[in-house]
């Protein structure tokens, strides 16, 4: 028995060393960490428990029968992050380039099933060359099993994809099915067809990084929610995100003691936000002023920048924040902004994270490109997401909220539980200038001094229909609040709504706009 135990430990050491120092050196030369180094950064020290470390493929042909390394190019298991159980798998690029074969896929299927059964988050550390060509259709079937499990786990456990190397072809669809996607600049790329195929079909010459690098997906496509310069920083942010999320859809997000006083006033907001609705300001500064310790985790920071989405804490409780951003396109909603916010609202609702919406929106972005690109369809996604959400929902109108964009940004009429407004708010069908031009068009045209008449009628319209208490008088705003009281107002409302329970009609599933 002692000999057997000694052999076991020796074999385990061989498995953990992988293909040897040369493979590790080559991985480091690419600017990347090994699979096990990444897992060490993700999990609490000494907590990782590996599953199926001795698994080998059974394929034959093309020389595969002579190359049967342990793990088959993927390390799977579980550990703890901030003391809470998390499951993970990490492609090992040093073995078969991290490519997916039948045994490799079976290991991933198993750990995904375990994560769902245990009700714990799943993190995938992606760095693979796609399907293992030598195994043919068996490899493709392995991807199908992953996609099916991603879909079944959606809204049940948090799924986080971390892109640390190449991800091409059908393999890219698994990260796309996850709740959050992280990418590292310079080493991670995602695309369906690579540069060579693009050039052969379209004649366009493009590099891997230009086609599917981290900044491309962080700024242009919206595939990546978080982009980082190095792996250590990226994995530390993954740990932070996990600390804000519940383990599954049957639990509430973890709460932490809050040293930031609930009654702390936000006196700086009065000077931070100009009363003139045409002057921009950075909504991020408003968010930092209101949330606990001024900390929040923004997602999709570089994409669809006219709306902000992120997670923070209020009174020690996780909240999701959706906010207009007046410094980008004046805070309008366009196709991408509506899609970005809709996805975020759905994720928060799936995992019982209350929603706070900070509104300063002049409307939807006008233009032929927007209309032909489906602004109606994409705007409806955001409307559907809010109307379908059963978590506590609180909205605050800081300055302006016009037209359909006012309705869509979680107005009381679509189910917001508590709605507030600052004392200089303007809630209306459209801005006073545009409204006067429509309502009083003939009167202005017939006047001896059209500009003077227009100015007078604009003033009258604002006094009659756009004064700060018009919506409150009609019960469409619960209260008009001092900006300095924003934090305390939000916290008190969240405390009152913490036990909110709402049932949706019985149905197989809804049919959201696509």
């Amino acid at each position: 028995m002692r000999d057997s135990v000694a052999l076991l430990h020796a074999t385990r050491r061989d498995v953990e060393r992988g293909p040897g120092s040369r493979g590790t050196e080559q991985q480091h030369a690419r600017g990347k960490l090994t699979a096990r180094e990444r897992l060490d950064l993700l999990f609490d020290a000494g907590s990782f428990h590996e599953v199926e470390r001795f698994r080998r493929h059974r394929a034959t042909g093309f020389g595969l029968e002579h190359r049967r390394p342990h793990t088959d190019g993927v390390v799977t298991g579980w550990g703890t992050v901030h003391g809470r159980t998390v499951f993970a798998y990490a492609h090992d690029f040093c073995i078969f380039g991290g490519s997916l074969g039948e045994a490799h896929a079976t290991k991933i299927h198993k750990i995904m099933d375990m994560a769902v059964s245990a009700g714990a988050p799943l993190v995938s550390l992606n760095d693979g060359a796609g399907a293992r060509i030598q195994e043919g259709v068996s490899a493709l079937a392995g991807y199908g099993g992953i996609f099916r499990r991603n879909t079944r786990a959606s809204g049940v456990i948090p799924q986080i994809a971390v892109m640390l190397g190449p991800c091409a072809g059908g393999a890219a669809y698994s990260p796309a099915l996850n709740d959050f996607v992280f990418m590292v600049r310079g080493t991670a790329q995602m695309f369906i067809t690579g540069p060579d195929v693009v050039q052969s079909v379209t004649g366009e010459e493009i590099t891997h990084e230009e086609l599917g690098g981290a900044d491309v997906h962080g700024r242009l496509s919206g595939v990546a929610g978080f982009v980082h310069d190095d792996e250590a920083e990226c994995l530390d942010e993954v740990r932070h995100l996990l600390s804000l999320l519940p383990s599954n859809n049957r639990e509430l997000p973890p709460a932490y003691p809050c040293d930031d006083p609930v009654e702390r006033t936000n006196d700086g907001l009065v000077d931070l936000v100009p009363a003139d609705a045409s002057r921009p300001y950075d909504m991020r500064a408003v968010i930092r002023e209101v949330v606990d310790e001024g900390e929040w985790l923004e997602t999709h920071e570089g994409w669809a920048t006219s709306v902000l989405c992120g997670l923070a804490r209020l009174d020690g409780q996780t909240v999701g924040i959706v906010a207009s951003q007046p410094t980008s396109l004046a805070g309008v909603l366009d196709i991408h902004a509506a899609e970005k916010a809709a996805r975020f609202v759905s994720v928060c609702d799936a995992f019982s994270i209350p929603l706070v919406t900070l509104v300063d929106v002049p409307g939807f972005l006008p233009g032929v490109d927007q209309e032909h690109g489906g602004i109606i369809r994409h705007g409806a996604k955001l409307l559907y997401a809010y109307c379908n959400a059963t978590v506590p929902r609180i909205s605050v109108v800081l300055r302006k909220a016009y037209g359909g964009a006012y309705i869509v940004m979680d107005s009381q009429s679509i189910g917001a539980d508590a709605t507030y407004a600052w004392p200089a708010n303007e809630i209306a069908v459209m801005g006073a200038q545009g409204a006067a031009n429509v309502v009083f068009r003939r009167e202005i045209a017939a006047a001896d001094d059209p500009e003077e008449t227009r100015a007078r009628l604009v003033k009258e319209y604002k006094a009659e229909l756009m004064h700060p208490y018009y919506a409150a008088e009609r019960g469409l705003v619960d209260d008009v609040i001092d900006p300095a009281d924003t934090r305390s107002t939000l916290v008190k409302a969240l405390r009152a709504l913490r036990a909110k329970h709402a049932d949706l009609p019985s149905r197989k599933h809804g049919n959201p706009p696509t």
Side-chain angles (χ1 to χ4, degrees):
M1 182 60 72
R2 289 185 182 276
D3 291 341
S4 297
V5 170
L7 178 60
L8 167 64
H9 289 301
T11 307
R12 283 191 169 192
R13 286 193 295 270
D14 288 341
V15 171
E16 291 174 4
R17 278 196 297 267
S21 59
R22 184 181 176 186
T24 299
E25 289 169 2
Q26 290 176 338
Q27 184 77 341
H28 289 170
R30 300 183 188 102
K32 301 191 292 185
L33 300 176
T34 66
R36 295 183 186 279
E37 288 170 338
R38 291 163 175 166
L39 290 166
D40 287 341
L41 289 174
L42 174 65
F43 289 109
D44 298 338
S47 70
F48 182 66
H49 179 87
E50 189 171 351
V51 174
E52 293 196 355
R53 74 179 75 210
F54 300 123
R55 169 79 78 160
R56 290 174 165 176
H57 72 76
R58 297 173 294 180
T60 58
F62 306 102
L64 282 179
E65 62 271 22
H66 304 302
R67 297 177 61 202
R68 300 181 62 237
H70 290 296
T71 75
D72 200 48
V74 64
V75 182
T76 59
W78 71 82
T80 60
V81 176
H82 299 299
R84 298 163 63 220
T85 299
V86 173
F87 288 77
Y89 65 87
H91 296 141
D92 189 344
F93 197 82
C94 299
I95 297 177
F96 294 130
S99 62
L100 182 138
E102 182 183 16
H104 182 121
T106 302
K107 289 181 65 175
I108 294 175
H109 296 167
K110 178 181 178 66
I111 212 67
M112 295 179 79
D113 291 340
M114 290 180 71
V116 172
S117 296
L122 175 72
V123 178
S124 60
L125 305 182
N126 297 270
D127 183 9
R132 195 172 300 165
I133 298 172
Q134 299 94 320
E135 294 197 30
V137 71
S138 297
L140 296 179
Y143 275 123
I146 292 173
F147 303 157
R148 178 165 57 87
R149 286 168 173 82
N150 283 138
T151 304
R152 293 287 180 89
S154 180
V156 179
I157 57 171
Q159 298 181 85
I160 300 172
V162 187
M163 313 310 297
L164 303 165
C167 185
Y173 284 116
S174 178
L177 290 167
N178 277 222
D179 300 304
F180 299 96
V181 177
F182 288 74
M183 292 190 76
V184 174
R185 289 185 178 93
T187 58
Q189 299 99 33
M190 297 174 67
F191 37 72
I192 297 299
T193 54
D196 294 340
V197 176
V198 169
Q199 184 176 8
S200 66
V201 174
T202 70
E204 299 171 280
E205 292 188 13
I206 193 168
T207 67
H208 287 81
E209 194 68 20
E210 291 169 338
L211 181 62
D215 285 319
V216 169
H217 289 305
R219 292 185 294 104
L220 300 180
S221 73
V223 171
F226 304 91
V227 175
H228 293 280
D229 291 324
D230 61 71
E231 295 190 18
E233 176 188 281
C234 178
L235 291 169
D236 186 60
E237 197 84 317
V238 173
R239 286 174 58 87
H240 182 201
L241 174 59
L242 286 166
S243 75
L244 292 161
L245 299 174
S247 293
N248 56 67
N249 64 338
R250 300 183 301 278
E251 297 181 6
L252 294 175
Y256 294 85
C258 178
D259 296 326
D260 194 346
V262 171
E263 299 295 340
R264 173 171 61 80
T265 58
N266 310 122
D267 298 313
L269 293 182
V270 176
D271 298 318
L272 176 64
V273 180
D276 182 353
S278 65
R279 291 179 57 195
Y281 62 93
D282 190 352
M283 184 65 83
R284 292 187 181 92
V286 175
I287 295 170
R288 287 192 292 266
E289 173 65 27
V290 171
V291 301
D292 292 356
E293 310 297 345
E295 294 182 356
W296 83 303
L297 179 61
E298 184 177 353
T299 181
H300 290 102
E301 183 177 350
W303 179 63
T305 54
S306 63
V307 68
L308 306 176
C309 299
L311 298 172
R313 290 191 179 95
L314 277 169
D315 193 27
Q317 308 282 337
T318 300
V319 295
I321 296 176
V322 178
S324 309
Q325 174 56 301
T327 62
S328 177
L329 298 176
V332 299
L333 286 175
D334 63 6
I335 286 173
H336 293 318
E339 188 172 14
K340 168 181 171 177
R343 171 71 170 172
F344 182 75
V345 168
S346 295
V347 170
C348 288
D349 185 53
F351 295 112
S352 303
I353 298 173
L355 287 160
V356 173
T357 306
L358 303 178
V359 185
D360 192 345
V361 61
F364 285 95
L365 182 64
V368 175
D369 289 345
Q370 289 290 306
E371 295 295 341
H372 289 182
I375 186 65
I376 296 172
R377 179 166 49 86
H378 290 282
K381 292 180 183 179
L382 180 54
L383 185 62
Y384 185 97
Y386 268 125
C387 290
N388 200 50
T390 60
V391 293
R393 292 157 49 190
I394 304 169
S395 65
V396 182
V397 178
L398 278 63
R399 291 195 307 188
K400 59 189 179 293
Y402 297 154
Y406 153 67
I407 300 172
V408 167
M409 287 291 280
D410 207 18
S411 62
Q412 189 175 105
S413 61
I414 65 168
D417 298 293
T419 53
Y420 301 99
W422 285 8
N425 77 84
E426 295 180 353
I427 303 175
V429 174
M430 63 177 67
Q433 291 282 351
N437 289 337
V438 173
V439 176
F440 306 114
R441 180 178 65 253
R442 293 179 181 176
E443 188 174 342
I444 292 171
D448 295 333
D449 187 346
E451 291 305 316
E452 187 279 331
T453 302
R454 179 183 287 106
R456 174 176 56 82
L457 292 173
V458 166
K459 186 176 181 180
E460 290 178 6
Y461 182 87
K462 291 184 73 171
E464 182 68 24
L465 293 176
M466 295 182 66
H467 63 80
Y469 301 96
Y470 186 85
E473 290 171 359
R474 285 153 181 78
L476 298 175
V477 168
D478 293 319
D479 198 5
V480 179
I481 64 172
D482 184 337
D485 297 330
T486 303
R487 172 177 167 81
S488 61
T489 299
L490 290 174
V491 169
K492 290 172 183 175
L494 287 167
R495 285 179 175 178
L497 294 166
R498 191 163 295 162
K500 174 187 174 182
H501 178 75
D503 289 320
L504 293 174
S506 177
R507 58 185 176 183
K508 185 175 182 180
H509 58 74
N511 187 24
T514 58

